[in-house]
Amino acid sequence: MSYLWTIRLMAMTPAPPMPKATRRQHDREIVALAVPAFGALVAEPLFVLADSAIVGHLGTAQLAGLGVASALLTTAVSIFVFLAYATTAAVARRVGAGDLPTAIRQGMDGIWLALLLGAAVIALVLPTAPSLVELFGASHTAAPYAITYLRVSALGIPAMLVVLAATGVLRGLQDTKTPLYVAIAGFVANALLNVGLVYGADLGIAGSAWGTVIAQCGMAAAYLVVVIRGARRHGASLRPDAAGIRASAQAGVPLLVRTLSLRAVLMIATAVAARLGDTDIAAHQIVLSLWSLLAFALDAIAIAGQAIIGRYLGADDPQGARAVCRRMVEWGVAVGVVLGLLVVLARPLFLPLFTGDPGVQDAALPALLVVALSQPVCAIVFVLDGVLMGAGDGPYLAWAMVLTLAVFAPVALAVPALGGGLTALWGAMTLMMTVRMLTLWLRTRSGRWLITGATR
């Protein structure tokens, strides 16, 4: 009880100025983790870009089929991103407590869970691929290519999920460089395999899918080699443990709810934009693409937060956790301001890269200004999201995101009814991020997330 009162007192008392030496130490650690994490995050979408560039030369129907299949695969994999987040927090706590064998053991539980989930997804996708493609509205000419790509690529989903879980292990071990190297190698291998199989072996769109599957399996194998070596070095068991796998799954459920709620926000925004007309939906896709790209830079700081906060709490150092949280927020706001200014300055240059339609450009310009102004808010959201993930505060994140969805949905759906356009829709998106910021700030301010120890 006295500990809780101490935490509340810390929350209400203004923090003393951080010593320069401490601030520099935090800065070095944040940069050392965030910069490689950013590189790895940017490398991931390059897989789809490479596939699109190569398949695009086969024909419009093939490219359309790839677009549908890629959307399905991206949705399926993004749902399980909790494999990375929950594993990072659990492993980092054990690292902070000085218990590396158990840290790696918990990481292996996450990897085994990834394999089980991957097998379940394969069993679901293979027989239902035609129905899923039809659900996404693929044309009769694109549908056969989408089904082919989806069925082949589904075989690589276990490897994709292992990559997520193993990335979480290494992040928890304070290593974001290895994921960067693996991501770069995977991208290069994917591009070379796609060219060789699509054109050299004349396999068409199936060759592109097989190239991605092979590259993903290679990435998973590289991660497993690193993790297995660490396990043997520290005497950690590699065998599946039912209790550990179940604990990993339970830790991931709240983050799954959070992710699904966030996906619902994005789907509602796209559906509303579609109701506004072809010009607005085209402009919305451009704005959303830039918004997602900016998110990678901010998410890199969040990843550093997951790893560092988990370690501090595992080491029974709540004061250190709060101090580094404050410093990461400062970093986030600074990066958000810079990104916002870049968006304002680059708007006239950015839009012609995507469209020559003056109507689409006119619709996108004011929406991009809203995106630019909201970047400091987005930065705080991403940083605090990472902090609370690192603290293992998944249940709060889940309910906060459900609340945010409940606020956003009626506001966004009212945009067409009230005669609003794309700018109003992105105003609703900014409202969504503001609500998220308030819920996350209130939680970090309360200090209730500062639960120390090797396990939460």
Side-chain angles (χ1 to χ4, degrees):
M1 183 65 69
S2 61
Y3 176 72
L4 289 177
W5 279 110
T6 301
I7 294 299
R8 289 170 183 168
L9 181 62
M10 288 169 57
M12 292 184 289
T13 304
M18 190 182 302
K20 287 185 178 181
T22 302
R23 186 167 61 248
R24 288 172 183 168
Q25 177 186 348
H26 290 329
D27 289 347
R28 284 194 298 269
E29 194 167 25
I30 292 168
V31 171
L33 290 172
V35 172
F38 174 69
L41 288 169
V42 171
E44 291 174 6
L46 293 179
F47 273 80
V48 177
L49 289 177
D51 288 2
S52 299
I54 294 166
V55 172
H57 291 285
L58 293 174
T60 302
Q62 288 90 332
L63 184 59
L66 172 66
V68 171
S70 294
L72 284 164
L73 288 165
T74 301
T75 300
V77 174
S78 65
I79 287 173
F80 299 113
V81 73
F82 69 83
L83 288 167
Y85 295 158
T87 304
T88 297
V91 172
R93 275 185 177 270
R94 290 290 183 177
V95 169
D99 188 359
L100 284 177
T102 305
I104 297 174
R105 172 66 260 177
Q106 288 194 299
M108 285 303 305
D109 292 334
I111 290 173
W112 281 113
L113 177 61
L115 288 170
L116 292 173
L117 291 173
V121 173
I122 289 178
L124 175 65
V125 170
L126 290 182
T128 62
S131 299
L132 292 171
V133 168
E134 182 180 358
L135 181 64
F136 265 60
S139 67
H140 70 279
T141 54
Y145 298 109
I147 293 170
T148 297
Y149 190 93
L150 182 59
R151 279 179 166 161
V152 174
S153 293
L155 301 177
I157 287 179
M160 296 180 194
L161 299 188
V162 167
V163 167
L164 284 177
T167 299
V169 176
L170 295 181
R171 289 173 181 171
L173 294 171
Q174 318 296 296
D175 177 8
T176 56
K177 291 183 179 178
T178 300
L180 172 61
Y181 300 148
V182 173
I184 293 173
F187 167 71
V188 173
N190 178 66
L192 294 176
L193 286 166
N194 270 258
V195 172
L197 294 174
V198 171
Y199 298 110
D202 198 24
L203 294 179
I205 194 169
S208 176
W210 279 116
T212 300
V213 169
I214 295 170
Q216 291 284 357
C217 289
M219 292 172 66
Y223 275 119
L224 289 176
V225 167
V226 174
V227 174
I228 289 171
R229 283 179 178 172
R232 289 176 175 170
R233 186 182 309 119
H234 296 286
S237 173
L238 298 173
R239 295 179 179 178
D241 176 67
I245 294 171
R246 186 165 54 252
S248 295
Q250 290 172 346
V253 168
L255 297 180
L256 176 61
V257 172
R258 167 200 168 276
T259 300
L260 290 174
S261 299
L262 182 55
R263 295 293 300 183
V265 165
L266 299 178
M267 290 175 65
I268 290 171
T270 300
V272 170
R275 292 184 184 181
L276 298 175
D278 290 347
T279 297
D280 281 335
I281 185 61
H284 174 73
Q285 288 304 113
I286 294 172
V287 177
L288 183 61
S289 297
L290 178 61
W291 188 78
S292 300
L293 178 63
L294 296 172
F296 285 129
L298 301 175
D299 202 24
I301 304 176
I303 288 171
Q306 293 172 33
I308 297 172
I309 292 295
R311 195 191 73 229
Y312 270 102
L313 294 179
D316 293 317
D317 187 359
Q319 290 85 359
R322 183 177 286 282
V324 77
C325 170
R326 184 169 71 250
R327 188 56 181 162
M328 280 187 288
V329 170
E330 293 170 357
W331 265 89
V333 171
V335 173
V337 170
V338 171
L339 291 177
L341 291 174
L342 288 176
V343 171
V344 171
L345 296 175
R347 282 186 306 158
L349 303 175
F350 174 77
L351 288 173
L353 296 176
F354 287 85
T355 179
D357 187 331
V360 175
Q361 292 185 12
D362 289 343
L365 273 171
L368 283 175
L369 182 59
V370 174
V371 169
L373 293 174
S374 69
Q375 285 310 293
V377 173
C378 294
I380 295 173
V381 169
F382 275 89
V383 170
L384 296 184
D385 204 40
V387 166
L388 295 182
M389 282 185 188
D393 204 12
Y396 181 84
L397 290 173
W399 290 115
M401 195 62 228
V402 170
L403 172 64
T404 301
L405 174 61
V407 173
F408 170 77
V411 174
L413 294 172
V415 168
L418 297 176
L422 186 65
T423 304
L425 175 60
W426 275 93
M429 288 287 285
T430 301
L431 171 65
M432 179 271 296
M433 294 301 288
T434 302
V435 172
R436 288 188 70 190
M437 181 185 71
L438 291 174
T439 58
L440 298 175
W441 178 80
L442 287 172
R443 184 64 169 182
T444 52
R445 179 76 175 174
S446 73
R448 294 177 182 175
W449 57 282
L450 289 167
I451 298 175
T452 59
T455 58
R456 183 179 169 86

